Amino acid sequence: MHMFLLVALATATAWDVELACLDTAEWSKYHAAYEVAARATALEGSDRAVSRASLGKELLARTSNVTEVLSCNVGVVAGYYLLAHLVSQEVKSMNPGNIFGLKPFEHRTGLAYRLLQLALIFIFTLRNANRIPSGPAQAWGVTEHHIIPALLQMRRGQDEWLKNHVQRLQPISPSFRDPNLNIAIVSICAYPADHPLVLPKLTPANRETYANRHGYALRVHLEHPIIGAHGLGVQHAKLATVLAYLQSNEFDWVAWLDCDSIIMNMNRTLDSIIYQYTQKRAEAEMEAGLKEAKNPAPVCGEKLDMPDLLIGEWSDSWVTDDLREESLIRIRRGELAMDSSAVWAEAPQIGLVQGEVQGNQLEMDFGDAKLQAEIQWNITGNGAVELLWENGARWVHRVDHQSCREPCRAIGPGCDSQLLDPEVNLLITEEGWGLSSANWLIKRSAWSMKFLHDALTAAHVELQLFGDQDAMILHLMNRQALEVVQEPSLEDATLYQDPLDAHAAVIPQFELNAYDALNALTMECDAFVEGDLLVTFPQCKEAEGCNDVFELAAEYANDDGKLLEPDAGAWWRRQESTPKWSRYSQLSSAALRIFGPRPLIREVYTQEQQLRKRCRSTSFCMRRADAAHLLTF
Ligand SMILES: *[C@@H]1O[C@H](CO)[C@@H](O)[C@H](O)[C@H]1NC(C)=O
Ligand SMILES: *[C@@H]1O[C@H](CO)[C@@H](O)[C@H](O)[C@H]1NC(C)=O
Ligand SMILES: *[C@@H]1O[C@H](CO)[C@@H](O)[C@H](O)[C@H]1NC(C)=O
C-alpha cells in the first residue's frame, strides 16, 4: 500500500488523472495528509487524533481560497467525508450501539453533521447531478451514497435537539410585537411581464397586507435591483440586496423572503420569532450543551405528547395518606419503542398491567376488567396531570406540582430585550440537505454585514458555481468546523456541540420555511400547518399545476374570517392534522398539496407513482400521468 502510494506520487500524470487533482505541491501535501488519515480510520486513540487534526489543518488551508477547490474538487469532498467518518467513529466509541449517539445527547451529532454539509456544497460544484464521477470517487475512496442518507439521519437528531432546546426558552406568543424594533421585509419578485407564473401578481400584495398589519417596512423589488457589486448576476442579488438594506442603517432587522413563499398567518409577527430564538442560551446548556437538564414546566395550553405525559409516578386518590408512598403507581413505556401507544403500570395493589393510549384516553387491562380513563391536564389548578377513571378512581401525576408557564404576550417585565442575546444575528432554518437561504432574518450589525459581504464575494467573485446558499453555508461553518477538528482530543462536548458560527441560530423549519404538504412528504420535513407564518413551494416552477396552488394559498391568506385558535402557530400548540379551514376540500389537488394532511397525500402520491410505473409506455397513461402532474412536480 505504502509502496503503491510512492509510485503514484512519482508519476504525476497518472496521479492527477486518477485523482482529478491539479499536480501542485499544495495538493500533494494535502493528499499525503489524506492518505494518513484514511489509514487512521483503523487506528485507536491518539494516532487517529493526530492524523485527523492534520487533515483538518490541510483542508482549511486548501479551502481558504475557495477558487482553488475546483482544481481538486473531489479531493476536497473526500476530505470532509473522511473527517466526518473519523469524528463519527469517536461518537460511536463513546456511545456504542448507535453510531449517531444516544440520549442524553438527543441524537445530536453537530460536528460530523456540519462536515457532511460542507462535503455536499462541493458535490454541487462538480455540476454532475449530485454524483461524484466514478474514477476520482474510486481513487479517493469517497461516495455520495453515504453522504446524503447520513445527512438526512443526522438532521433528525438536530431536530430532536432543537425541539428539546426550545422548551427551555421563555415562550413567546405568536402575536408578540416590540414596537421599538424596526423591521423590513425584502423580496425580489422579478419576472418578465409575460411570465405565466402568478407569483409576481400575488406576492407583492400578500407582503403588503402583512407589512401594513404590523407596521413593517416593505421592499419588494419587481425588477432586479442594481445595487451592490457591479455586474452582479441575478443569482446573487439576494445577498447584495439584503446587505444594502443593512448598510442603509434604517432597520434593526431585515427579513428576506423568497417570492414563492406566501404569508399565511397575517397575525404571526416577525418580532415573536426574533424574541423566541435569539434568547440567551440557558446556563446549564452553556456549560456543556449535554447534561440532561430537568424538563421545564409546560407552557399554558401546550399540546403534550400523550404517552410521554404519562411516564412517571402516580398517586391513587382512593389510597389513604399513610399508605400513599408504598402504593405509588409507576407508569412506563412499552418495551418496544416501535409501539408508541403501549404503556405499563405497576403497583402493589394492581400488580403489573398493560395499557394503551388513544388520543386522550387510556385503556388498561386489570385482569378482571378493562377500564377506561380520561387523561386530564389540570391547567386551572396545580398543573398536575390526572387520570379520571370511569369507575370514579382518580390518579394524580406527581410532577412537582409545577404550574404552567405563561408566554410573553407584550413587552413588559421578563418579556423585554433583556431576554435577548446580542450575539445572535442570524435566524435561519435547515431542511433535508442543509441550511436554507429561502427565508431568513438578519440583524443589523458589523458581523452581519461582514458575513453577507464575504458570502457575496465567495459566490460572485471566488466561485461562481456557488449559489448564495452554498456561500452562506461556507461562511457559517467551514473555518468553524475545521478548527474544531484540529483539536487534539475531542471531548463529548465538542463532538456534540454545533460548530456553526455562534452568531447564527438554526430555528425550527416550520417557523420560517414550512413546505407544502407534498414537498414535505417527499423531502421528509415540516409541512405547513394552519397557524404557521408562511408556506413555501420548493420545485414549483411551472405555471400549470402551480398557479392553482399559489392562488389557493393567497386566498387562504386573505381570508380574515378563518378561525384560528389562540396562539395558533406557536411551537407549543402546533400539530399536523386535517385542516379546519371551511374552504378546504380533500377533493381539490391544490388543497391537498398545500394542507395535506400527510397520511392522505402519502396515499395519493403512492398511488400515482404506481400508476406511472404500470403504464409508462402507453399514450393513454401518459395523459393520465400529465393530469397527475398536478400533484407530483
Ligand atoms: C485564489 O486562487 C485563484 C486561482 O488560483 C487566484 O487566481 C486568486 O488570485 C486567488 N485569490 C486570492 C485572494 O489569493
Ligand atoms: C385541579 O386542581 C385543583 C387544585 O389542586 C383541584 O381542586 C381540582 O379538583 C383539580 N381539577 C380536577 C378536574 O380534578
Ligand atoms: C388576528 O388578530 C385580530 C386582532 O387581534 C383578531 O381579531 C383576528 O381574529 C385574528 N385572526 C386570526 C385568523 O387569528
Side-chain angles (χ1 to χ4, degrees):
M1 176 68 197
H2 197 63
M3 279 300 287
F4 175 79
L5 179 69
L6 289 178
V7 172
L9 282 171
T11 52
T13 40
W15 190 81
D16 69 15
V17 168
E18 276 173 26
L19 296 171
C21 198
L22 198 66
D23 184 16
T24 62
E26 287 86 359
W27 286 119
S28 299
K29 194 165 164 230
Y30 172 76
H31 184 249
Y34 181 85
E35 285 289 313
V36 173
R39 283 193 293 271
T41 53
L43 304 176
E44 292 289 327
S46 68
D47 288 340
R48 196 165 67 191
V50 168
S51 43
R52 161 178 45 73
S54 125
L55 177 59
K57 182 162 168 253
E58 286 300 321
L59 187 53
L60 183 54
R62 298 290 77 232
T63 51
S64 63
N65 177 350
V66 76
T67 313
E68 291 186 0
V69 169
L70 294 184
S71 57
C72 194
N73 198 335
V74 175
V76 166
V77 173
Y80 290 113
Y81 173 68
L82 180 55
L83 286 172
H85 183 71
L86 286 166
V87 165
S88 302
Q89 273 184 331
E90 289 177 56
V91 173
K92 188 177 180 179
S93 65
M94 281 178 206
N95 294 278
N98 181 341
I99 56 165
F100 298 122
L102 287 163
K103 286 194 168 178
F105 311 108
E106 293 108 16
H107 305 272
R108 201 180 202 203
T109 49
L111 184 53
Y113 180 60
R114 295 298 168 208
L115 290 165
L116 290 182
Q117 271 192 30
L118 287 159
L120 192 62
I121 62 171
F122 291 108
I123 290 182
F124 295 155
T125 60
L126 289 166
R127 284 292 185 270
N128 192 44
N130 299 339
R131 281 198 301 272
I132 305 173
S134 57
Q138 227 165 33
W140 285 97
V142 62
T143 158
E144 74 275 6
H145 298 303
H146 294 139
I147 294 178
I148 292 166
L151 266 177
L152 290 176
Q153 179 163 356
M154 289 182 185
R155 185 187 56 91
R156 271 178 228 127
Q158 296 290 113
D159 276 359
E160 275 290 297
W161 178 87
L162 203 51
K163 227 168 91 185
N164 201 296
H165 169 74
V166 69
Q167 285 174 348
R168 290 160 211 286
L169 302 174
Q170 167 64 40
I172 308 290
S173 159
S175 54
F176 181 92
R177 177 86 173 91
D178 174 356
N180 292 322
L181 273 190
N182 226 325
I183 302 176
I185 298 170
V186 178
S187 296
I188 300 179
C189 291
Y191 292 86
D194 55 352
H195 199 280
L197 273 194
V198 291
L199 286 174
K201 294 182 196 74
L202 290 183
T203 305
N206 173 264
R207 301 278 188 276
E208 197 174 327
T209 311
Y210 178 66
N212 288 345
R213 170 106 35 130
H214 302 290
Y216 299 144
L218 181 64
R219 302 288 185 269
V220 177
H221 294 261
L222 299 176
E223 288 171 7
H224 277 289
I226 312 186
I227 45 183
H230 182 67
L232 191 67
V234 169
Q235 226 213 327
H236 307 129
K238 187 186 287 196
L239 299 171
T241 308
V242 175
L243 175 58
Y245 283 117
L246 291 185
Q247 285 168 337
S248 78
N249 269 350
E250 281 179 82
F251 311 110
D252 301 309
W253 282 83
V254 170
W256 169 270
L257 303 179
D258 270 358
C259 192
D260 61 0
S261 295
I262 309 271
I263 293 168
M264 298 288 266
N265 180 358
M266 297 285 172
N267 281 7
R268 180 78 207 265
T269 64
L270 296 171
D271 315 48
S272 66
I273 298 174
I274 293 168
Y275 267 72
Q276 186 66 80
Y277 296 103
T278 61
Q279 286 180 32
K280 292 183 182 122
R281 288 153 204 188
E283 208 75 34
E285 202 187 336
M286 294 288 284
E287 277 175 24
L290 304 172
K291 295 206 184 76
E292 194 156 31
K294 240 178 87 178
N295 278 338
V299 183
C300 299
E302 183 165 352
K303 284 187 180 160
L304 295 159
D305 293 338
M306 262 321 160
D308 285 343
L309 188 59
L310 298 182
I311 308 310
E313 292 184 337
W314 296 73
S315 58
D316 182 344
S317 63
W318 281 357
V319 171
T320 52
D321 278 346
D322 51 326
L323 294 174
R324 190 136 290 167
E325 277 310 310
E326 56 205 82
S327 54
L328 278 179
I329 304 149
R330 287 186 180 79
I331 298 187
R332 59 183 163 79
R333 265 188 181 287
E335 297 296 323
L336 295 172
M338 300 294 288
D339 189 3
S340 61
S341 62
V343 293
W344 290 88
E346 189 169 22
Q349 66 274 31
I350 58 170
L352 178 63
V353 299
Q354 193 179 1
E356 189 165 322
V357 183
Q358 291 287 345
N360 66 342
Q361 293 285 324
L362 170 68
E363 186 182 80
M364 280 209 155
D365 186 352
F366 290 95
D368 46 349
K370 277 189 180 175
L371 285 180
Q372 299 263 345
E374 192 180 326
I375 305 161
Q376 279 212 350
W377 173 244
N378 190 340
I379 290 177
T380 50
N382 50 25
V385 183
E386 299 177 337
L387 281 171
L388 305 177
W389 291 96
E390 57 184 316
N391 66 358
R394 198 172 121 224
W395 295 1
V396 181
H397 200 184
R398 308 234 300 188
V399 281
D400 301 342
H401 297 280
Q402 50 191 353
S403 38
C404 59
R405 295 177 293 157
E406 281 296 339
C408 290
R409 301 192 178 280
I411 290 280
C415 293
D416 54 25
S417 57
Q418 298 277 312
L419 278 174
L420 307 185
D421 181 348
E423 200 185 328
V424 178
N425 286 212
L426 172 67
L427 300 179
I428 192 163
T429 62
E430 87 189 324
E431 292 99 57
W433 290 15
L435 293 181
S436 167
S437 67
N439 302 308
W440 37 282
L441 280 157
I442 193 161
K443 185 167 101 171
R444 174 167 50 88
S445 72
W447 178 85
S448 299
M449 291 188 238
K450 181 171 189 311
F451 162 67
L452 289 178
H453 180 269
D454 289 348
L456 181 60
T457 308
H460 181 57
V461 183
E462 295 166 355
L463 188 52
Q464 297 208 347
L465 291 174
F466 260 180
D468 41 37
Q469 190 161 292
D470 309 313
M472 289 171 86
I473 290 173
L474 182 80
H475 280 284
L476 288 173
M477 61 184 85
N478 189 51
R479 180 184 47 75
Q480 297 83 344
L482 291 178
E483 278 174 4
V484 176
V485 157
Q486 291 179 51
E487 285 177 21
S489 72
L490 292 178
E491 308 292 331
D492 259 20
T494 27
L495 281 172
Y496 290 100
Q497 251 165 19
D498 192 342
L500 187 77
D501 195 296
H503 294 91
V506 173
I507 73 172
Q509 186 209 330
F510 64 80
E511 296 284 17
L512 276 179
N513 220 6
Y515 280 15
D516 64 87
L518 177 62
N519 273 300
L521 176 76
T522 55
M523 293 155 106
E524 294 181 45
C525 58
D526 291 345
F528 171 75
V529 167
E530 285 185 285
D532 286 347
L533 174 68
L534 58 75
V535 62
T536 193
F537 303 92
Q539 327 255 9
C540 221
K541 309 270 182 245
E542 305 291 330
E544 196 202 335
C546 291
N547 277 352
D548 282 2
V549 175
F550 296 142
E551 272 161 359
L552 185 67
E555 186 185 330
Y556 178 89
N558 288 334
D559 179 4
D560 279 332
K562 63 177 176 279
L563 290 175
L564 289 180
E565 53 172 38
D567 288 339
W571 57 262
W572 63 88
R573 295 292 306 163
R574 201 177 175 280
Q575 218 165 48
E576 279 189 22
S577 61
T578 306
K580 303 204 170 51
W581 188 37
S582 58
R583 286 180 235 168
Y584 168 79
S585 159
Q586 297 197 335
L587 300 176
S588 143
S589 61
L592 271 187
R593 172 150 187 176
I594 299 172
F595 298 99
R598 204 183 286 255
L600 186 58
I601 198 153
R602 180 179 292 120
E603 201 178 297
V604 174
Y605 180 74
T606 315
Q607 276 170 8
E608 286 189 0
Q609 294 292 94
Q610 282 165 352
L611 178 70
R612 282 183 172 214
K613 240 184 243 159
R614 215 175 300 142
C615 50
R616 190 159 277 153
S617 55
T618 75
S619 62
F620 168 74
C621 286
M622 283 307 285
R623 240 171 280 128
R624 289 286 298 272
D626 278 349
H629 175 76
L630 285 178
L631 271 181
T632 49
F633 322 120

